[in-house]
Amino acid sequence: MESQNTPATISRYRPEEMARLKPQERPEASKLFYLSAARDYRDKSLNPEETPSIKEMYAKLARRYDLLSNAQKSTPIAASPELKKALLDQDARGASLKGTEPDRHMQYGKELFGFNPEDQPLLETKTEEELIGEKLQPKTVEDNKKFKRVIFNFKGQEFSFRGRNELPVYKELSSSHVQILGERPSWISEKDFEEYIVKIQSTQRGTNDHYLTTKTVLGVIELSQKLGSANPQLQKMAREIAMGVYSKKTLYLVDALLAANYIDENSSFRTKSNPSGEALVILALSGDKDASIVLKKKMMILEQKQQKIDKEKAEGFASYDKDGVMRPENIVCVHTTRYKPEQTEEGYEIKTTFDATNENGEGVLPRNSIHVSLNHKVGGGFNSGSWDGMGYAIVAPFTKVAAKNGVPFSLWGIDTWWTKNPGERLLFTDGLLVKMGEKNMASLYEKKGKEMLFKMPDDVGLEDLKKIRTYVDENKLSNLSNLFKKIFDGNLIGLVTDMDSPIRNGDPDIMKQNDEVKILYNSLKDYYQNDFIMRRNNPLFDAVFKEGYTKANLSDICKDMLGKVGVDSIVTRDYFENVSKIFQNKVEARLADILQEVAICEAIKECGGEVNFGPYTQDNSEQQLNNLRKQYQAAGGLHAATVQGKATDEIVKENIAFALTPDSFMWEKYGQDFERHFSTLDEKTARMIYAGGFLTARA
């Protein structure tokens, strides 16, 4: 709701702006969401193309709003998951630029931009520069950080753009009544953003509207509405975006914005986004025929370039040994995650990191790939990250995952991955969820319905340790065997090697904490002697499995291990108890990883696969997998080595990280060199980068 009493306002409570709300504002936004749904239903303004299930969902929302309103409650009600699912199902889980939808321009282009068969996109009468100059009178100004900005004028109403994480100030704002449209920043703090708003308010003396718009699809939609667009589709699209739903129509609008930004007048890719790109789309949304013709030409060129990339990729996979292809039905996907996946009727769904971080609007990360390993769990240290400590795993047949989600972008034993559109999830059809079971489980693992449970590590005793050793040996799990053998010795050494550097450097804080730290360190060095760093031998592990060993529970076993090293005789009793607890916690954490992996191995068997560590190097299976990759026309290799990985990593490591300080986000340090990758970037990743507001609006 817009205040009439302040010179600068943010329309925070409109339903389509829920994506950028503060938590305390969401109750009111939820009420307005239901009110908007109720109005849609009562006014019968729903699109005729919408399915009956969606109409019914809107009707339910309307009734729920009535109940909420009559009871005068302010409790927030989350956007309905059923509505999200219905919207996604209607749109068949996203769109593509690859030409598989011949009527795409006529269906969505006609509704949004007035495209029609009589348009002559290759014979436009005006250039883009002439068109923008004549109809929007662009004016270039300089902001407070010395960046160039462009101000446009549409029928007496001014507008300009800012990157989602930019806070530009320029003197021209003081002569206007500024309204900020689009999402709130995702990396700039609430405090800094509020101070920015106050700063703009305090310097304004004019009454003419100036819409300072975030360079995102939501920002463009809101701006189009402010400038007078009566297209009912825009309101619906904005509301869906607020719920994290990107329909085919919304993705089509994102594609139009990408084409306007990156295809120049010579039909070539720009290496930097067009400062007038959004303005061209705004004109087309307003019904300007000349703008629509120019925009359609750009979109067709973008599609042609993408089709050329796809063709070259297909030609590269033309030759392979069809008799030496690995059987797809023997391949099983394994995905590990810290967060519990959502269960559906068909299996389990996983969000991309982008969608998960974009939902709360803070610290949004540009990662739209979802990764699995094949027929095994990826070990710690892979791909510059650790996969240990992941509380959940999903295991599902590869053929069923590929049938639902399409062919993976890259197919490799230790890193198979799909790229996803904004709002699009990966469905693990007929998957099993591997997770920790309840207390007092009798066995190491147990299948219950669609779940494979594993024993809690603090329930593990000597007999369970013996069962783990037997399972690992019988199934010939060499990688897991090596990990298991170091469960005591490796964790005890690890307990003190972390202290090595501060002790050697005489760190006063460490030394003041307890001199016994140094005593413990020296004691372990004496016990393991030359093997202290190499960790080749595991005398404590061997002691546990000697015949006649009697310690039954894990707590007693851990204390006994410390006693064998001699710790109990050189430190105080209190310190010994403290070290014992720390040691046991480290052992339990490692046990959790081992037990999870045992359960994953069983889940792989349940899904029809055989456990196989590594990138398939045994028995010519690497060559078989390579042939399968060619058959599917999928790339092979680590994500970090691809253009997708390079572009998104640069956004995080060379831009966000460079601008982020302990106290604030120095937005002027955020660069845009990553845009040079757009000419070879896949359409889904490009859409994600644009939708997330990772571009700047500098001229």
Side-chain angles (χ1 to χ4, degrees):
M1 298 178 183
E2 295 179 17
S3 169
Q4 301 299 318
N5 301 319
T6 57
T9 60
I10 294 184
S11 307
R12 295 176 186 160
Y13 298 141
R14 287 168 48 205
E16 66 268 25
E17 295 175 333
M18 289 172 65
R20 60 181 175 82
L21 294 177
K22 296 179 182 178
Q24 61 266 32
E25 294 170 339
R26 288 172 187 153
E28 181 69 14
S30 296
K31 289 168 63 178
L32 286 174
F33 172 80
Y34 289 102
L35 175 60
S36 179
R39 286 173 176 166
D40 280 349
Y41 179 69
R42 291 172 188 146
D43 296 343
K44 298 181 180 180
S45 60
L46 291 172
N47 189 317
E49 296 175 3
E50 291 179 323
T51 62
S53 63
I54 296 181
K55 290 185 179 180
E56 181 182 352
M57 199 62 61
Y58 271 101
K60 288 181 180 179
L61 288 172
R63 291 194 292 273
R64 289 179 68 181
Y65 176 77
D66 286 339
L67 293 174
L68 180 69
S69 180
N70 293 337
Q72 295 184 337
K73 295 180 180 179
S74 61
T75 305
I77 303 177
S80 165
E82 292 85 1
L83 177 59
K84 288 185 181 182
K85 184 178 187 303
L87 292 168
L88 284 172
D89 287 346
Q90 175 182 322
D91 280 317
R93 313 183 73 82
S96 172
L97 275 175
K98 298 181 179 179
T100 56
E101 301 176 53
D103 296 327
R104 188 167 174 253
H105 290 300
M106 294 314 305
Q107 182 177 357
Y108 309 125
K110 185 175 181 179
E111 292 178 9
L112 293 174
F113 308 120
F115 291 168
N116 63 70
E118 285 71 40
D119 287 341
Q120 298 295 324
L122 301 180
L123 299 173
E124 69 272 19
T125 57
K126 297 178 182 178
T127 66
E128 178 183 355
E129 184 177 359
E130 292 170 340
L131 182 65
I132 297 294
E134 175 188 333
K135 300 188 177 183
L136 295 178
Q137 298 91 51
K139 178 173 64 174
T140 302
V141 300
E142 187 173 86
D143 68 16
N144 55 322
K145 300 298 182 180
K146 307 299 183 184
F147 294 118
K148 301 295 183 182
R149 306 278 169 181
V150 181
I151 299 176
F152 304 93
N153 190 302
F154 181 79
K155 298 179 180 179
Q157 300 179 91
E158 284 189 346
F159 63 90
S160 59
F161 296 93
R162 68 174 184 90
R164 184 173 181 177
N165 291 294
E166 291 186 302
L167 304 179
V169 176
Y170 29 99
K171 64 180 182 180
E172 286 76 11
L173 296 179
S174 63
S175 60
S176 307
H177 170 252
V178 176
Q179 294 187 52
I180 300 177
L181 306 179
E183 296 92 338
R184 300 175 73 89
S186 58
W187 286 95
I188 293 170
S189 69
E190 288 287 343
K191 175 178 175 292
D192 287 348
F193 189 51
E194 294 298 336
E195 289 178 355
Y196 172 69
I197 297 169
V198 171
K199 183 175 183 179
I200 292 177
Q201 289 177 347
S202 64
T203 60
Q204 291 179 38
R205 298 174 181 82
T207 57
N208 294 330
D209 287 329
H210 183 115
Y211 302 114
L212 184 52
T213 307
T214 306
K215 189 182 176 85
T216 61
V217 61
L218 182 59
V220 169
I221 288 174
E222 291 185 13
L223 176 60
S224 183
Q225 292 175 304
K226 286 288 187 181
L227 296 178
S229 173
N231 189 333
Q233 296 300 314
L234 296 179
Q235 175 80 359
K236 178 176 178 292
M237 291 161 65
R239 187 163 56 243
E240 290 171 352
I241 293 172
M243 294 188 295
V245 174
Y246 289 77
S247 65
K248 285 185 177 181
K249 191 175 297 180
T250 300
L251 292 175
Y252 184 83
L253 178 55
V254 175
D255 292 342
L257 289 161
L258 287 168
N261 270 281
Y262 290 104
I263 301 299
D264 64 19
E265 294 186 350
N266 297 317
S267 302
S268 300
F269 260 101
R270 297 172 59 99
T271 57
K272 181 179 176 296
S273 59
N274 181 3
S276 298
E278 284 70 26
L280 176 65
V281 175
I282 287 293
L283 276 178
L285 286 169
S286 73
D288 188 289
K289 186 173 180 60
D290 291 331
S292 294
I293 291 175
V294 172
L295 181 61
K296 185 176 181 181
K297 175 186 175 182
K298 286 174 174 280
M299 294 188 73
M300 292 178 69
I301 293 170
L302 182 62
E303 288 184 352
Q304 291 166 6
K305 289 183 179 295
Q306 182 62 49
Q307 289 165 0
K308 182 180 178 182
I309 292 173
D310 294 339
K311 181 180 179 182
E312 291 173 351
K313 178 181 176 183
E315 290 173 349
F317 291 118
S319 175
Y320 63 93
D321 179 7
K322 296 179 176 59
D323 296 326
V325 174
M326 179 175 289
R327 294 173 63 85
E329 59 268 26
N330 295 336
I331 302 177
V332 177
C333 298
V334 179
H335 174 82
T336 53
T337 175
R338 290 184 176 86
Y339 309 105
K340 186 176 181 180
E342 294 185 22
Q343 188 171 8
T344 71
E345 293 180 358
E346 298 179 85
Y348 291 92
E349 282 188 337
I350 291 291
K351 301 175 185 176
T352 64
T353 300
F354 169 75
D355 283 332
T357 54
N358 198 41
E359 281 187 0
N360 61 28
E362 297 179 0
V364 181
L365 291 170
R367 181 71 76 185
N368 69 321
S369 56
I370 296 178
H371 298 246
V372 302
S373 52
L374 302 181
N375 293 56
H376 73 289
K377 174 189 173 184
V378 173
F382 161 69
N383 202 15
S384 301
S386 176
W387 297 95
D388 297 332
M390 298 289 188
Y392 300 93
I394 307 176
V395 180
F398 171 79
T399 53
K400 294 187 177 181
V401 176
K404 191 65 180 181
N405 301 276
V407 175
F409 195 99
S410 178
L411 180 60
W412 195 30
I414 58 176
D415 189 19
T416 292
W417 46 275
W418 284 259
T419 55
K420 289 294 180 180
N421 281 312
E424 188 182 12
R425 301 184 179 188
L426 187 73
L427 177 63
F428 288 84
T429 312
D430 290 347
L432 285 174
L433 177 65
V434 179
K435 69 173 189 176
M436 192 179 295
E438 302 294 332
K439 290 282 289 183
N440 303 318
M441 266 183 62
S443 57
L444 297 180
Y445 55 86
E446 179 181 348
K447 184 177 182 292
K448 282 190 175 182
K450 291 294 184 180
E451 296 180 342
M452 183 70 74
L453 307 177
F454 59 89
K455 194 178 187 73
M456 296 181 69
D458 55 356
D459 274 351
V460 169
L462 179 60
E463 292 305 311
D464 297 306
L465 293 174
K466 292 178 180 178
K467 290 178 183 177
I468 293 174
R469 189 177 193 183
T470 299
Y471 183 92
V472 168
D473 290 343
E474 288 181 350
N475 287 274
K476 299 178 181 179
L477 305 177
S478 57
N479 286 31
L480 195 55
S481 176
N482 293 333
L483 185 67
F484 183 51
K485 287 178 181 178
K486 296 184 182 299
I487 192 167
F488 297 113
D489 300 87
N491 278 302
L492 187 55
I493 294 173
L495 186 67
V496 293
T497 50
D498 294 340
M499 306 172 190
D500 185 18
S501 177
I503 288 175
R504 277 190 284 104
N505 296 330
D507 188 316
D509 291 331
I510 292 292
M511 302 308 292
K512 287 177 183 177
Q513 283 177 16
N514 204 321
D515 287 340
E516 290 168 325
V517 169
K518 193 168 185 178
I519 295 173
L520 174 62
Y521 177 80
N522 289 329
S523 174
L524 287 171
K525 283 193 75 171
D526 291 341
Y527 182 79
Y528 286 98
Q529 297 183 0
N530 294 332
D531 199 43
F532 184 55
I533 300 300
M534 298 302 294
R535 309 183 195 184
R536 289 164 297 193
N537 301 312
N538 303 288
L540 298 182
F541 177 85
D542 295 338
V544 171
F545 289 97
K546 279 186 178 179
E547 187 175 350
Y549 189 79
T550 59
K551 301 297 182 183
N553 62 66
L554 194 59
S555 175
D556 290 342
I557 292 174
C558 288
K559 289 179 180 178
D560 186 49
M561 298 297 100
L562 290 172
K564 290 184 183 300
V565 177
V567 176
D568 57 343
S569 64
I570 60 173
V571 297
T572 64
R573 188 65 190 172
D574 288 343
Y575 187 67
F576 178 76
E577 290 293 331
N578 183 49
V579 171
S580 297
K581 289 178 182 177
I582 296 173
F583 178 46
Q584 183 177 341
N585 288 339
K586 290 177 75 70
V587 171
E588 287 179 359
R590 182 56 65 193
L591 267 175
D593 293 330
I594 293 170
L595 289 165
Q596 183 196 56
E597 194 152 343
V598 167
I600 287 174
C601 290
E602 286 302 303
I604 290 171
K605 296 175 186 177
E606 285 282 337
C607 291
E610 294 182 1
V611 179
N612 193 343
F613 287 93
Y616 291 98
T617 56
Q618 301 94 335
D619 302 326
N620 298 318
S621 52
E622 170 63 21
Q623 182 59 44
Q624 292 178 356
L625 183 65
N626 188 49
N627 286 328
L628 181 66
R629 183 185 302 132
K630 291 181 177 180
Q631 181 182 4
Y632 276 116
Q633 296 186 6
L638 298 179
H639 181 266
T642 65
V643 65
Q644 292 84 2
K646 291 175 182 177
T648 54
D649 284 349
E650 283 181 24
I651 293 175
V652 176
K653 296 177 181 178
E654 299 178 20
N655 292 284
I656 292 175
F658 185 62
L660 195 62
T661 71
D663 301 319
S664 63
F665 186 86
M666 308 294 288
W667 64 268
E668 67 273 16
K669 293 185 177 181
Y670 183 91
Q672 51 198 48
D673 287 347
F674 62 86
E675 291 183 83
R676 71 186 187 280
H677 296 295
F678 268 79
S679 62
T680 54
L681 203 58
D682 70 286
E683 67 269 17
K684 292 185 177 183
T685 303
R687 289 168 179 163
M688 177 272 299
I689 291 174
Y690 189 91
F694 295 107
L695 301 181
T696 69
R698 303 163 191 170

